[in-house]
């Protein structure tokens, strides 16, 4: 529902157009603009006189210290009720007036309005603490001292500048004052755009580190299948598993419904798709969301089935179709429900997850002290409190925010070479620019690809390592033929060779190796773009090439898929287990097996220490080399020699 003042407000305040004044367009929802045609119309004072303000969804009581805007949002949000009692009484009406004037001035999201209220409330409480008791008594030094007192990030600081300036501008327009002086204008001036952009980029949320992500996902999968756990916890774990694979926004996760899975035939293979809603801002038009659909893999489909099952009784009792639905929740569920559960999991299972590792600071967006955990999450749960007894009160635990799953999924797609346009569609981004903004922070720019291309070509041409993969022999032969046809010498013309080959052999970084898609010297990709992208995403493309020093990623992928296979097998999920076993055999036969053969040869030639020196990423593989050789034995075309 749109938020605006109903036109009958004109009747209530007694504004009657005359021949000497311009006509009021009572259908114009920006009533502030209409009323400004009457220079002496006291807008705020009229609100106070009529008390009950006619909003689009009902009357609002000006004198109440709690204004409820929940009916104007599609999603239930903890911030859709504006509590004014936290603001000092002398400035409380000024805060209410600002909220009303913002509604009058333009369409605005409830969440934005609430964030501005919080900023002004903090500003007003600060002013009251200095002894100031009237807005028109504010001078430059008051604003300057307030800004100096803040210890916040640059982005938050700029937001406060903007809101304070907007408040003073509206206050001056309403009361015919000049509180917004040139000095305050200068204090609220936005910083240099390039500098601000750099700060925003640096502060952008990162993806979840692979090791932590894998451990957390494993724990969530365990919880959602644990029949001894509470249904609520199993369901929340399942919702987070879905999010970890799809990257849905928290609001989209809450709006998922039961019976929302469709099956789509892609080149003879059945892919499962889930329908969801992209929430749009509460401004303009009548639609508050748009329908969308995205792919879900086997892991997220299992989670979907768990959530469907454990919340089924609650959905029936509450007569709703929301996938996530537990008895005490206000529907759709608050984002805080996911975040609080994430905190509980990361802190309760900190030993398995490593949630106290200080290296996670700056990569995981959330952090919480032991004392805060006991006060906010485990207040009435002695069992939960006992999990942190051995830690000091100031011990910090780290956890990811829900949105970091989204970043992680984007990173995974980009690492696999999926095009930005496909990522944009898959993630439900509303613009290519937004998708590109994600990509900027994930080292996927042209400079990196150029470096990867040069390094890969140099390795192939020099013979430093054997190129592996379905198209490896053809690509190597094509490169040698190209060098010969151009009468170049590897020993003396390496730079010229690489520069020339880069034009005919485009190479991109990819997990587990490199992608040579589009090369004139190798196989063409599928004519079905979507099939091609999905094949790339799961590492089954014939244009993926790799070397022995990619064994660490292949080994990590093997362990992850093997764990999923084992879990499905032990729990009787036969069909899912068969699918995972197919992935296991593919990795062993086509990636890890050949890589281990070449690694053993390299160790015999230059020694294990030299291999480790050149490729430190292989430390885990070298530490477990005998065990890995046994694992891949039987899947390699060559014997270990």
């Amino acid at each position: 529902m749109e938020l605006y003042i109903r036109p009958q407000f004109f009747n209530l305040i007694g504004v009657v157009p005359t021949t000497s004044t311009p006509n009021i367009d009572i259908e114009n929802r920006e009533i502030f603009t209409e009323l400004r045609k009457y220079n002496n119309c006291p807008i705020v004072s009229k609100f106070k006189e009529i008390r009950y303000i006619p909003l689009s969804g009902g009357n609002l009581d000006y004198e109440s210290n709690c204004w409820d805007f929940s009916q104007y949002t599609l999603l239930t949000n903890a911030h859709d009720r504006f509590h004014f009692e936290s603001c000092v009484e002398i400035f409380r009406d000024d805060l209410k007036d600002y909220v009303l004037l913002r509604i009058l001035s333009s369409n605005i999201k409830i969440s934005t309005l609430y964030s501005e209220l919080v900023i002004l409330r903090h500003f007003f409480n600060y002013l009251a603490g200095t002894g100031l008791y009237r807005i028109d008594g504010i001078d430059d030094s008051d604003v300057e001292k307030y800004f100096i007192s803040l210890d916040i990030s640059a982005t938050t600081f700029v937001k406060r500048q903007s809101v304070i300036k907007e408040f003073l501008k509206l206050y001056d327009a309403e009361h015919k004052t000049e509180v917004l002086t040139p000095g305050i204008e200068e204090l609220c001036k936005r910083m240099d755009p390039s500098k601000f952009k750099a700060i925003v980029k640096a502060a952008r949320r990162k993806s979840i580190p692979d090791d932590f992500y894998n451990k957390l996902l494993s724990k969530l999968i365990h919880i959602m299948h644990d029949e001894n756990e509470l249904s609520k916890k199993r369901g929340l774990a399942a919702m987070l598993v879905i999010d970890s694979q799809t990257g849905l926004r928290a609001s989209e996760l809450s709006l998922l419904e039961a019976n929302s899975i469709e099956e789509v035939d892609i080149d003879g293979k059945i892919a499962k798709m889930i329908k969801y809603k992209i929430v749009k801002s509460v401004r303009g038009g009548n639609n508050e969301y748009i329908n969308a659909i995205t792919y879900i893999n086997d892991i997220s489909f299992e989670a979907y089935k768990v959530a469907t099952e454990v919340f089924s009784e609650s959905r029936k009792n509450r007569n709703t179709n929301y996938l996530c639905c537990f008895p005490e929740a206000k529907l759709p569920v608050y984002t805080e429900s996911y975040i609080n559960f994430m905190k509980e999991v990361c802190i309760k299972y900190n030993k398995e997850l490593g949630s106290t590792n200080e290296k996670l600071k700056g990569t995981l967006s959330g952090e919480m002290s032991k004392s805060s955990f006991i006060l906010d999450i485990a207040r009435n749960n002695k069992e939960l409190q006992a999990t942190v007894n051995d830690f000091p009160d100031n011990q910090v635990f780290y956890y990811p925010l829900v949105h970091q799953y989204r970043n992680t999924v984007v990173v995974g797609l980009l690492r696999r070479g999926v095009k930005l346009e496909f990522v944009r569609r898959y993630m439900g981004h509303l613009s290519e620019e937004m998708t590109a903004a994600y990509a900027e922070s994930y080292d996927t720019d042209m400079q990196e690809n150029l470096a990867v291309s040069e390094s890969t070509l140099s390795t192939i041409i020099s013979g430093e390592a054997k190129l592996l993969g379905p198209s490896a022999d053809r690509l190597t032969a094509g490169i040698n033929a190209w060098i010969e046809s151009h009468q170049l010498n590897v020993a003396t013309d390496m730079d010229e060779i690489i520069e020339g080959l880069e034009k005919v052999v485009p190479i991109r970084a990819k997990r587990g190796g490199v992608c040579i898609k589009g090369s004139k010297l190798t196989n063409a990709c599928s004519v079905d773009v979507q099939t091609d992208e999905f094949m790339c995403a799961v590492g089954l493309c014939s244009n993926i090439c790799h070397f022995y020093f990619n064994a660490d990623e292949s080994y990590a992928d093997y362990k992850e898929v093997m764990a999923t296979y084992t879990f499905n097998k032990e729990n009787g999920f036969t069909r899912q287990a068969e699918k995972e076993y197919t992935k296991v055999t593919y990795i062993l036969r086509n990636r890890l097996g050949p890589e281990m053969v070449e690694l053993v040869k390299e160790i015999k030639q230059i020694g294990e220490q030299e291999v480790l020196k050149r490729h430190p990423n292989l430390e885990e593989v070298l530490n477990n080399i005998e065990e890995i050789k046994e694992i891949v034995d039987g899947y390699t075309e060559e014997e270990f020699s």
Side-chain angles (χ1 to χ4, degrees):
M1 181 184 294
E2 274 192 278
L3 174 61
Y4 59 89
I5 306 291
R6 281 182 283 158
Q8 72 183 81
F9 172 75
F10 290 104
N11 298 329
L12 293 172
I13 66 174
V15 174
V16 181
T18 66
T19 55
S20 60
T21 57
N23 290 328
I24 295 178
D25 178 7
I26 63 171
E27 297 302 321
N28 187 344
R29 292 173 181 176
E30 293 190 8
I31 295 179
F32 182 87
T33 303
E34 289 297 314
L35 291 180
R36 281 303 167 204
K37 296 175 182 177
Y38 298 84
N39 294 331
N40 297 317
C41 184
I43 300 175
V44 172
S45 63
K46 290 296 182 181
F47 274 125
K48 295 176 182 178
E49 287 177 16
I50 64 175
R51 178 173 172 177
Y52 293 99
I53 301 145
L55 295 183
S56 50
N59 292 334
L60 181 71
D61 183 358
Y62 182 92
E63 293 185 8
S64 171
N65 280 327
C66 178
W67 292 1
D68 187 349
F69 293 104
S70 58
Q71 62 189 310
Y72 300 98
T73 61
L74 178 66
L75 276 177
T76 299
N77 190 295
H79 300 151
D80 53 22
R81 291 167 179 79
F82 291 17
H83 295 279
F84 294 98
E85 64 268 17
S86 299
C87 181
V88 292
E89 190 172 359
I90 54 174
F91 292 129
R92 198 170 294 167
D93 281 1
D94 294 304
L95 187 56
K96 291 181 178 180
D97 295 347
Y98 176 79
V99 171
L100 287 171
L101 289 171
R102 287 288 277 145
I103 295 171
L104 284 166
S105 298
S106 62
N107 293 327
I108 187 170
K109 291 166 61 178
I110 298 297
S111 58
T112 302
L113 195 55
Y114 182 85
S115 67
E116 294 182 2
L117 175 144
V118 171
I119 289 172
L120 286 178
R121 186 175 62 198
H122 186 271
F123 179 52
F124 292 156
N125 290 344
Y126 167 85
L127 293 177
T130 67
L132 193 70
Y133 59 91
R134 289 179 60 87
I135 295 298
D136 55 14
I138 296 174
D139 61 25
D140 299 8
S141 64
D142 293 315
V143 177
E144 182 177 17
K145 289 175 182 177
Y146 173 71
F147 286 153
I148 291 172
S149 73
L150 298 175
D151 182 18
I152 53 179
S153 69
T155 51
T156 307
F157 184 82
V158 170
K159 176 65 176 175
R160 297 210 179 196
Q161 288 177 302
S162 174
V163 172
I164 289 172
K165 180 180 177 181
E166 180 67 16
F167 165 74
L168 295 177
K169 184 171 72 174
L170 286 176
Y171 185 90
D172 282 343
E174 172 62 23
H175 297 281
K176 305 294 188 296
T177 55
E178 295 181 357
V179 183
L180 183 58
T181 64
I184 295 179
E185 285 260 23
E186 185 63 29
L187 287 168
C188 294
K189 186 178 179 182
R190 289 182 66 89
M191 66 176 65
D192 177 73
S194 60
K195 180 181 178 182
F196 182 66
K197 185 178 180 181
I199 292 172
V200 170
K201 184 176 179 180
R204 194 172 285 150
R205 291 187 184 125
K206 298 178 174 67
S207 62
I208 303 170
D210 289 345
D211 185 54
F212 188 91
Y213 173 84
N214 291 333
K215 291 176 181 176
L216 178 58
L217 179 58
S218 176
K219 179 56 65 177
L220 291 171
I221 290 174
H222 174 78
I223 293 171
M224 78 179 191
H225 283 297
D226 186 353
E227 295 186 359
N228 294 320
E229 271 286 8
L230 296 173
S231 294
K232 175 184 175 181
K233 293 186 178 182
R234 290 183 63 194
L236 285 173
M239 297 303 292
L240 289 176
V241 170
I242 292 172
D243 206 41
S244 74
Q245 305 300 300
T246 60
L248 293 178
R249 301 173 181 90
S251 57
E252 295 161 358
L253 197 63
S254 291
L255 288 172
L256 285 179
E257 296 183 345
N259 308 312
S260 58
I261 300 293
E262 291 183 357
E263 291 189 344
V264 178
D265 189 316
I266 301 178
D267 197 29
K269 296 183 179 180
I270 300 300
K272 290 183 174 61
M273 313 294 284
I274 189 167
K275 294 180 286 186
Y276 69 101
K277 294 177 174 67
I278 299 177
V279 179
K280 301 185 76 175
S281 60
V282 187
R283 60 171 77 212
N286 295 318
N287 294 325
E288 294 176 328
Y289 64 84
I290 56 176
N291 291 311
I293 191 168
T294 193
Y295 168 76
I296 62 169
N297 58 17
D298 291 342
I299 296 174
S300 48
F301 182 59
E302 280 300 315
Y304 170 83
K305 290 192 293 185
V306 170
T308 300
E309 176 191 347
V310 299
F311 291 139
S312 60
E313 185 176 350
S314 184
R315 273 194 300 275
K316 181 179 178 181
N317 292 339
R318 304 188 65 178
N319 192 29
T320 184
N321 199 38
Y322 287 124
L323 182 62
C324 186
C325 172
F326 43 93
E328 71 273 23
K330 187 160 186 179
L331 299 177
V333 300
Y334 287 152
T335 300
E336 282 79 359
S337 296
Y338 306 122
I339 296 175
N340 288 339
F341 182 69
M342 190 104 68
K343 292 175 183 176
E344 179 181 327
V345 171
C346 291
I347 296 177
K348 181 178 179 180
Y349 302 102
N350 65 82
K351 291 182 180 178
E352 295 103 309
L353 302 178
S355 306
T356 58
N357 189 340
E358 290 190 2
K359 291 183 179 179
L360 294 172
K361 185 179 179 67
T363 56
L364 295 186
S365 297
E367 58 180 70
M368 190 175 210
S369 68
K370 170 190 168 180
S371 55
S372 295
F373 173 68
I374 292 175
L375 182 64
D376 298 336
I377 308 298
R379 178 181 298 177
N380 300 315
N381 190 322
K382 292 184 178 180
E383 182 183 349
L384 267 184
Q385 292 177 20
T387 63
V388 295
N389 278 346
D390 296 335
F391 294 98
D393 288 345
N394 62 350
Q395 174 66 57
V396 175
F397 299 86
Y398 302 98
Y399 61 90
L401 297 181
V402 176
H403 196 82
Q404 282 195 273
Y405 282 128
R406 187 171 182 79
N407 294 52
T408 304
V409 172
V410 172
V411 171
L413 291 171
L414 293 173
R415 281 178 179 171
R416 288 169 171 79
V418 179
K419 292 179 180 178
L420 283 181
E421 172 58 25
F422 182 82
V423 175
R424 187 182 74 82
R425 296 199 306 271
Y426 181 87
M427 301 303 296
H429 288 154
L430 300 180
S431 69
E432 275 192 37
E433 291 74 15
M434 189 182 296
T435 313
Y438 276 99
E440 279 184 34
S441 59
Y442 305 131
D443 299 327
T444 56
D445 56 26
M446 292 302 293
Q447 290 301 317
E448 179 186 348
N449 284 327
L450 181 60
V452 170
S453 179
E454 292 176 352
S455 173
T456 302
L457 288 170
S458 177
T459 301
I460 298 171
I461 296 165
S462 66
E464 179 185 330
K466 181 181 178 180
L467 185 67
L468 305 170
S471 300
D473 291 342
R474 184 182 175 194
L475 177 61
T476 302
I479 287 174
N480 291 334
W482 186 91
I483 294 172
E484 185 176 345
S485 68
H486 287 75
Q487 299 180 340
L488 297 171
N489 188 302
V490 173
T492 58
D493 305 320
M494 182 63 84
D495 290 343
E496 188 176 348
I497 291 171
I498 290 176
E499 184 179 350
L501 281 171
E502 283 174 341
K503 298 174 183 177
V504 293
V505 189
I507 295 176
R508 293 178 294 159
K510 195 169 186 67
R511 179 170 176 79
V514 293
C515 175
I516 52 174
K517 173 183 174 180
S519 168
K520 298 176 182 178
L521 308 179
T522 55
N523 298 325
C525 286
S526 156
V527 294
D528 185 330
V529 176
Q530 286 194 333
T531 301
D532 172 41
E533 297 292 1
F534 276 117
M535 293 289 280
C536 279
V538 296
L540 302 179
C541 177
S542 63
N543 284 322
I544 303 298
C545 290
H546 50 116
F547 301 95
Y548 75 84
F549 46 76
N550 295 120
D552 61 318
E553 292 177 320
S554 298
Y555 183 45
D557 289 348
Y558 160 77
K559 289 191 296 181
E560 180 181 343
V561 176
M562 191 64 184
T564 306
Y565 160 72
T566 303
F567 176 85
N568 285 326
K569 183 179 179 182
E570 290 176 349
N571 287 275
F573 304 127
T574 306
R575 184 181 175 189
Q576 287 75 22
E578 289 174 354
K579 289 182 178 180
E580 295 305 315
Y581 189 71
T582 300
K583 295 178 185 177
V584 169
T585 56
Y586 182 89
I587 292 171
L588 294 178
R589 181 174 292 115
N590 298 286
R591 291 174 55 191
L592 189 56
E595 288 163 0
M596 290 304 296
V597 169
E598 293 304 313
L599 175 58
V600 170
K601 289 179 181 178
E602 195 70 12
I603 290 173
K604 291 194 172 187
Q605 184 174 344
I606 64 176
E608 186 173 314
Q609 291 303 313
E610 184 60 27
V611 169
L612 185 59
K613 182 179 177 181
R614 294 182 183 181
H615 307 288
N617 58 296
L618 292 178
E619 182 176 4
E620 182 184 7
V621 173
L622 294 173
N623 288 340
N624 298 281
I625 192 166
E626 294 303 323
E627 178 186 338
I628 298 173
K629 283 163 63 176
E630 289 183 16
I631 292 172
V632 301
D633 186 33
Y635 291 94
T636 57
E637 294 182 1
E638 299 180 55
E639 295 293 328
F640 293 109
S641 56

